[in-house]
Every structure is written in structure tokens, then in C-alpha cells.
């Protein structure tokens, strides 16, 4: 059951690549504007999470996101969605709104739960830049 879900999400992420545009929405550099808040200020999480970055989220969009992942230089490197497995199994669909950011690659992986999204879920990571994954690695 998990493989078809992951494949579907991966294909959605790849489809989002075709909607790339320039950054004109003010989200390209940290701190993200309101209504986004720094995740580490709202939840017991570190400021920088390797692989995801310095995260910001609109609290009203929890648990799915989008979460904005900034690298250590404060540049947007990824948009992350945390989609609960139970919701996907129930047929919930998610619009992967990437605003005005070019998506160069995607990554989909399972997470058993963590503060803020306690239930099992899938991380859908849309990278912004060919070196974005490396910029978020450490």
C-alpha cells in the first residue's frame, strides 16, 4: 500500500516542476513573512534540521504544510509537505502549491512521527536549486 502512495506523491512533485516561475512572493529569504512562524519557536525542535533546514510554517496549514526549508545562509532551499498516511489512505488529496519557486528535484520518504506531526506521514520535499539537498544536509 505504501509504495503506490509514495509513487503518486512523487509524480505529483514531478508535475509541480513544470509550474516553475521566478520568486516574487517574498519567501525566497528567511525569515518567512507572516503568517509563517519559525517551527523551532512553536515546537520542541532544533532551529536547523539536517535534510529539511530552518523550517517555517503557517500554523493554520498544519499538519500538511507547506513547510519552508531555508539553508544556513537564509535562502529558500525546499518546500516540504508532511502528508499523514491515514489521510492519504482515506483519499485526501493535496495541492502542492509551490508559489513562485522553481522545483529542480523531489524526494519522498516515510516518517514515523515527530513533534508537530505525531502520526505516521510522508515527507514530500520539493527542492529549489540543483544544490539544495546539499545545502540542507548539514
Amino acid at each position: 500500500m505504501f509504495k503506490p502512495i509514495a509513487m503518486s506523491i512523487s509524480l505529483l512533485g514531478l508535475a509541480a516542476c513544470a509550474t516553475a516561475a521566478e520568486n516574487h512572493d517574498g519567501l525566497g529569504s528567511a525569515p518567512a513573512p507572516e503568517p509563517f512562524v519559525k517551527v523551532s519557536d512553536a515546537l520542541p525542535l532544533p532551529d536547523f534540521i539536517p535534510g529539511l533546514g530552518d523550517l517555517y510554517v503557517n500554523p493554520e496549514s498544519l499538519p500538511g504544510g507547506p513547510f519552508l526549508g531555508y539553508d544556513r545562509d537564509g535562502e529558500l532551499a525546499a518546500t516540504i509537505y508532511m502528508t499523514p498516511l491515514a489521510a492519504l489512505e482515506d483519499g485526501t488529496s493535496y495541492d502542492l502549491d509551490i508559489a513562485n519557486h522553481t522545483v529542480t528535484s523531489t524526494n519522498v520518504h516515510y516518517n514515523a512521527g515527530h513533534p508537530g506531526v505525531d502520526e505516521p506521514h510522508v515527507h514530500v520535499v520539493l527542492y529549489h536549486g540543483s544544490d539544495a539537498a546539499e545545502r540542507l544536509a548539514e
Side-chain angles (χ1 to χ4, degrees):
M1 172 72 96
F2 178 70
K3 285 185 181 181
I5 291 171
M7 289 290 281
S8 297
I9 293 171
S10 181
L11 291 175
L12 286 172
L14 291 174
C17 292
T19 64
E22 291 184 33
N23 174 22
H24 295 290
D25 58 6
L27 300 176
S29 298
E34 290 184 4
F36 289 88
V37 299
K38 193 169 183 171
V39 170
S40 62
D41 289 343
L43 298 169
L45 292 170
D47 283 344
F48 190 92
I49 300 170
L52 299 178
D54 188 8
L55 295 177
Y56 287 77
V57 68
N58 176 347
E60 293 183 16
S61 71
L62 292 173
F67 293 78
L68 305 174
Y70 294 91
D71 65 19
R72 292 196 185 273
D73 292 327
E75 296 301 316
L76 183 65
T79 302
I80 303 104
Y81 290 86
M82 299 185 190
T83 56
L85 289 178
L88 291 171
E89 290 171 348
D90 288 342
T92 300
S93 64
Y94 291 87
D95 177 18
L96 301 182
D97 179 13
I98 60 166
N100 295 319
H101 303 279
T102 300
V103 175
T104 56
S105 62
T106 60
N107 181 292
V108 178
H109 60 272
Y110 172 81
N111 189 290
H114 52 73
V117 186
D118 295 328
E119 61 189 297
H121 59 280
V122 175
H123 285 187
V124 180
V125 184
L126 307 175
Y127 292 109
H128 309 299
S130 60
D131 64 343
E134 290 81 26
R135 294 185 352 244
L136 296 176
E138 294 183 31

